[in-house]
Amino acid sequence: MKFRKKKDKKEKKKRKFFIRNKDKQEKINKEEILEDNSERPILETESIPDQNVENVETVEDVTGEQIETSDITTDIESSSKAPKKQKKRVFKRLKERLKKSRNKMGNRFESWDKKQIDEDLLESLEESLITADIGVETTMTIMDTLNEQIKKKDINTALELKSAVSNELLQRLPKTEPPEESFIYQPHVILVVGVNGVGKTTSIGKLASRLIEQGKKVIIGASDTFRAAAVEQLELWAENTGADIVRHKENADPAAVAFDTVQAAISRKADVAIIDTAGRLHTKKNLMDEIKKIRRSISKKISNAPHDVFLVLDATTGQNAISQTQLFHDALNVTGIVLTKLDGTAKGGIVVSIANTFDIPIRYIGIGEKTEDLQPFESELFVRALIE
């Protein structure tokens, strides 16, 4: 009996040793993965590895033996921490992408901390707002408000001025809920429009991937029938994400493809139907009329569809995006904007300019080439990344 007890003790020590070493190796592996992916934003469907292994306690298993386990939080607690971690990752990535704008604005603020508010400081602020692509009209409105606050002694220091600028920018950016919460119809039909080269097809693929990860059934309509590469690109996205796709032969009627897409979405009980369109020069009336035809064909199948018209804009085009938005909105009643290519070359102030000029919510922003780089727009994160 004594021999058996000694043998059992040795076995327990071995088990404890291997468990501890296994835990250490898993921790090292997780840390290496986190370092490799430090630049990648966390998707909503990903979980955050728990690295808190300081509190170690022993619990009894079903055989009554004592084993060491890490103090892991419950699924509910970890899921509540995930959005915070995700926001930190998104903020870090967004901050990197808005470096060009921050060089115009944020870096100047750093040198203002100990300065007095005078004409030179205000002129410098005005210049930085304009050069960050916020636009002359929007900048003048902001400066008028700030000057009034300075006269009333509501702003007395450069730090207070910095805070006031942040508040002014936030007031001009709509507070939007996650875009997917507005997808209340089944199928929810989204028509995607924009000029050539802004990234419509890629944005559709990324949006489809995002929705499928949330458990939604998605069908894509390849109505850009004049560009074979667009159809092939959408087919590849559909294959990789698991979305359905409706396509016709090359040079087919885009309106017919849109109609069949909606019909297929109804019969297959899809949650979301996303319809691509050919790139349109917003100044060409005949091309804009064709998109109107696509819209009419969709409404023949579902009376109140399309439920959303997303305008894709290239952030690098600067103030030209304003004229694009105006003409597309007049023709199609745009319900949301997807701003792409906020990847370091664009000056992010165009977001503020668009929001201040039009009553159209900015739904998504593209901050990189990866699928997860299409992110819902959050005004607070954006302003912090622009100024801090």
Side-chain angles (χ1 to χ4, degrees), residues 107-215:
N107 288 353
R108 295 194 181 195
F109 279 123
E110 294 301 321
S111 64
W112 294 350
D113 288 352
K114 296 181 180 179
K115 286 188 177 181
Q116 297 294 322
I117 298 176
D118 54 21
E119 288 298 322
D120 290 340
L121 185 63
L122 293 174
E123 283 181 12
S124 180
L125 171 59
E126 183 178 317
E127 180 189 346
S128 66
L129 291 172
I130 292 173
T131 54
D133 249 347
I134 287 177
V136 176
E137 185 178 342
T138 306
T139 297
M140 293 300 101
T141 305
I142 291 173
M143 292 305 301
D144 288 343
T145 305
L146 294 175
N147 280 317
E148 190 65 27
Q149 292 178 0
I150 292 169
K151 286 179 182 178
K152 292 180 179 179
K153 301 296 182 181
D154 293 332
I155 300 174
N156 299 299
T157 65
L159 286 176
E160 290 176 352
L161 179 62
K162 179 179 178 180
S163 178
V165 172
S166 296
N167 290 334
E168 287 298 315
L169 294 177
L170 276 173
Q171 287 179 15
R172 282 159 178 77
L173 293 173
K175 290 184 179 180
T176 54
E177 297 177 347
E180 294 86 0
E181 290 186 7
S182 66
F183 297 176
I184 58 176
Y185 300 95
Q186 190 178 16
H188 190 93
V189 182
I190 303 171
L191 183 65
V192 182
V193 300
V195 302
N196 289 306
V198 294
K200 291 188 307 301
T201 306
T202 302
S203 295
I204 289 170
K206 291 178 179 179
L207 178 58
S209 177
R210 177 182 177 84
L211 294 173
I212 288 170
E213 285 175 355
Q214 295 173 9

Side-chain angles (χ1 to χ4, degrees), residues 29-182:
N29 292 339
K30 287 177 182 177
E31 287 175 348
E32 289 176 351
I33 292 170
L34 285 172
E35 287 176 2
D36 292 339
N37 296 325
S38 60
E39 297 300 318
R40 182 176 64 85
I42 296 177
L43 297 175
E44 290 184 19
T45 54
E46 292 180 336
S47 60
I48 310 297
D50 188 0
Q51 294 181 312
N52 182 18
V53 293
E54 294 177 359
N55 299 323
V56 178
E57 61 181 8
T58 59
V59 295
E60 289 189 1
D61 65 4
V62 291
T63 62
E65 294 182 348
Q66 301 256 330
I67 57 174
E68 289 185 346
T69 60
S70 59
D71 185 17
I72 302 174
T73 57
T74 63
D75 290 340
I76 296 175
E77 289 172 338
S78 61
S79 64
S80 66
K81 291 179 181 178
K84 292 181 181 179
K85 292 272 188 178
Q86 179 191 348
K87 281 192 176 184
K88 286 182 180 179
R89 289 284 182 89
V90 173
F91 174 69
K92 181 181 177 181
R93 197 160 178 79
L94 185 58
K95 197 171 180 180
E96 290 171 358
R97 296 316 190 218
L98 294 178
K99 184 178 180 180
K100 191 170 184 178
S101 294
R102 196 166 56 256
N103 286 342
K104 300 291 184 183
M105 295 180 61
N107 288 353
R108 295 194 181 195
F109 279 123
E110 294 301 321
S111 64
W112 294 350
D113 288 352
K114 296 181 180 179
K115 286 188 177 181
Q116 297 294 322
I117 298 176
D118 54 21
E119 288 298 322
D120 290 340
L121 185 63
L122 293 174
E123 283 181 12
S124 180
L125 171 59
E126 183 178 317
E127 180 189 346
S128 66
L129 291 172
I130 292 173
T131 54
D133 249 347
I134 287 177
V136 176
E137 185 178 342
T138 306
T139 297
M140 293 300 101
T141 305
I142 291 173
M143 292 305 301
D144 288 343
T145 305
L146 294 175
N147 280 317
E148 190 65 27
Q149 292 178 0
I150 292 169
K151 286 179 182 178
K152 292 180 179 179
K153 301 296 182 181
D154 293 332
I155 300 174
N156 299 299
T157 65
L159 286 176
E160 290 176 352
L161 179 62
K162 179 179 178 180
S163 178
V165 172
S166 296
N167 290 334
E168 287 298 315
L169 294 177
L170 276 173
Q171 287 179 15
R172 282 159 178 77
L173 293 173
K175 290 184 179 180
T176 54
E177 297 177 347
E180 294 86 0
E181 290 186 7
S182 66

